[in-house]
């Protein structure tokens, strides 16, 4: 059941209550829980939110949730892949979830690009949490770091040892809160191009930045030098401001 799908169940009520407190829920909130499992977190969410949408892909766990909660008025249980849910139709919502490890990165990318998301309180691998808050020129810094920090304000709230989970994972976990920004920290002319440049740069992380941009522009070295960025640098050495400048200058060339 859950283990087959990469789920590690967190059943300690004290830790679960702490997660709910971090989420700062109100009785007006719609909350999405991904990987609801046995329903221990679900129960606490139901007491603190207007409506809970519990998503569980495992049919056995889905059945357990149905039996445990029956026809609870403010709960909707969905037996579906969380990556295939159309979140845009939910209205304003918050996510509180112990995310199955195998979908952590694609799910975070999917959710942070959903404009009606208010915040996420996620229990994820410690390593991934540290990537979300990483700064330039560190080992953890990645495309995920920049895109996450452009769209949200991520903050690691606390760590959870593996022994609190069943079965225990091979790694420690962290609870991270990501609040959607009202306004990004940099001005970007074309967000799609901005994200594309970032993903291209980190897709060839060990290569010089100029080599990463060759699919977008003919003379990347000359272009980077002209806008004051060293073409010999690698992706992890550039700040979010640098990537904004690159994509904005590329926009000008495209218009010309």
């Amino acid at each position: 059941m859950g283990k087959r799908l990469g789920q590690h169940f967190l059943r300690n009520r004290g830790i679960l209550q702490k997660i709910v407190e971090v989420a700062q829920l109100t009785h007006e909130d719609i909350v999405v829980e991904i990987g609801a499992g046995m329903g221990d977190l679900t129960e606490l969410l139901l007491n603190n939110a207007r409506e809970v949408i519990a998503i569980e892909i495992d049919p056995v766990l889905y059945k357990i949730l149905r039996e445990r909660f029956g026809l609870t008025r403010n709960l909707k249980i969905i037996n579906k892949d969380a990556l295939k849910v159309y979140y845009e139709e939910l209205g304003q919502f918050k996510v509180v979830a112990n995310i199955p490890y195998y979908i952590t990165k694609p799910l975070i990318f999917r959710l942070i690009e959903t404009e009606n998301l208010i915040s996420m309180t996620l229990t994820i691998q410690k390593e991934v949490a540290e990537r979300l808050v990483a700064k330039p020129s560190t080992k953890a810094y990645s495309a995920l770091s920049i895109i996450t920090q452009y769209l949200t304000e991520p903050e690691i709230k606390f760590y959870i040892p593996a022994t609190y989970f069943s079965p225990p994972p091979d790694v420690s976990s962290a609870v991270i809160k990501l609040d959607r920004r009202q306004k990004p920290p940099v001005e970007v002319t074309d967000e799609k191009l901005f994200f594309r440049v970032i993903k291209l740069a980190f897709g060839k992380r060990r290569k010089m930045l100029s080599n990463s941009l060759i699919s977008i522009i003919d003379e990347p070295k000359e272009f980077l030098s002209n806008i004051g960025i060293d073409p010999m640098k690698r992706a992890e050495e550039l700040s979010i401001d640098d990537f904004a400048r690159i994509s904005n200058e590329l926009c000008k060339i495209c218009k010309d």
Side-chain angles (χ1 to χ4, degrees):
M1 124 179 134
K3 191 174 180 181
R4 172 173 60 84
L5 292 166
Q7 278 178 271
H8 299 271
F9 302 113
L10 180 58
R11 307 205 69 184
N12 181 288
R13 194 171 178 90
I15 297 288
L16 292 172
Q17 187 62 55
K18 199 172 171 183
I19 291 167
V20 173
E21 286 166 11
V22 165
Q24 295 180 305
L25 302 177
T26 76
H27 290 288
E28 299 303 313
D29 286 328
I30 295 171
V31 178
V32 173
E33 182 188 6
I34 295 160
M38 305 279 193
D40 297 301
L41 178 58
T42 317
E43 184 179 306
L44 294 177
L45 295 175
L46 286 166
N47 295 330
N48 288 272
R50 178 171 58 122
E51 182 184 3
V52 175
I53 298 164
I55 302 168
E56 178 53 64
I57 192 172
D58 190 311
V60 177
L61 293 172
Y62 172 73
K63 189 179 178 186
I64 289 170
L65 290 166
R66 299 284 301 184
E67 288 171 356
R68 177 169 180 174
F69 295 105
L71 298 173
T72 302
R73 183 185 55 79
N74 60 332
L75 175 65
K76 182 179 181 182
I77 308 170
I78 300 173
N79 184 204
K80 196 171 183 178
D81 181 344
L83 290 169
K84 295 178 181 174
V85 172
Y86 190 66
Y87 298 98
E88 285 76 5
E89 66 184 15
L90 299 179
Q92 299 283 301
F93 71 100
K94 295 179 180 179
V95 173
V96 184
N98 171 17
I99 298 186
Y101 288 175
Y102 75 106
I103 61 164
T104 300
K105 186 177 172 181
L107 189 59
I108 289 172
F109 269 130
R110 169 75 182 93
L111 289 166
I112 62 174
E113 291 179 5
T114 306
E115 289 184 6
N116 47 319
L117 172 76
I118 299 170
S119 68
M120 293 189 282
T121 303
L122 308 176
T123 304
I124 56 178
Q125 292 149 284
K126 178 185 174 186
E127 181 188 345
V128 177
E130 288 174 348
R131 282 172 64 194
L132 296 179
V133 299
K135 300 302 177 193
S137 299
T138 61
K139 190 179 176 183
Y141 191 59
S142 66
L144 188 61
S145 314
I146 302 171
I147 295 170
T148 300
Q149 291 167 36
Y150 174 76
L151 294 169
T152 72
E153 294 183 74
E155 183 185 350
I156 295 173
K157 294 295 188 179
F158 63 94
Y159 294 99
I160 308 174
T163 49
Y164 279 93
F165 294 86
S166 177
D170 297 327
V171 294
S172 293
S173 298
V175 172
I176 187 166
K177 175 91 180 294
L178 302 100
D179 291 310
R180 174 167 286 287
R181 289 182 182 274
Q182 295 299 312
K183 184 182 176 185
V186 289
E187 285 191 27
V188 171
T189 309
D190 182 336
E191 278 191 1
K192 283 188 178 177
L193 180 60
F194 175 62
F195 295 154
R196 185 184 169 202
V197 167
I198 293 165
K199 289 173 184 177
L200 274 174
F202 282 95
K204 297 177 179 175
R205 190 184 180 106
R206 296 183 187 279
K207 293 192 176 182
M208 292 183 299
L209 182 65
S210 55
N211 291 338
S212 305
L213 297 180
I214 209 149
S215 63
I216 298 181
I217 192 165
D218 289 337
E219 298 290 342
K221 283 186 181 178
E222 186 183 339
F223 164 74
L224 289 167
S225 296
N226 287 342
I227 64 170
I229 291 175
D230 183 353
M232 307 292 278
K233 282 191 171 183
R234 290 175 169 78
E236 65 265 29
E237 298 176 85
L238 299 184
S239 67
I240 190 168
D241 298 87
D242 293 329
F243 279 108
R245 195 185 336 160
I246 292 167
S247 66
N248 289 347
E249 291 297 330
L250 282 170
C251 276
K252 289 178 188 176
I253 291 170
C254 294
K255 283 179 184 176
D256 295 343

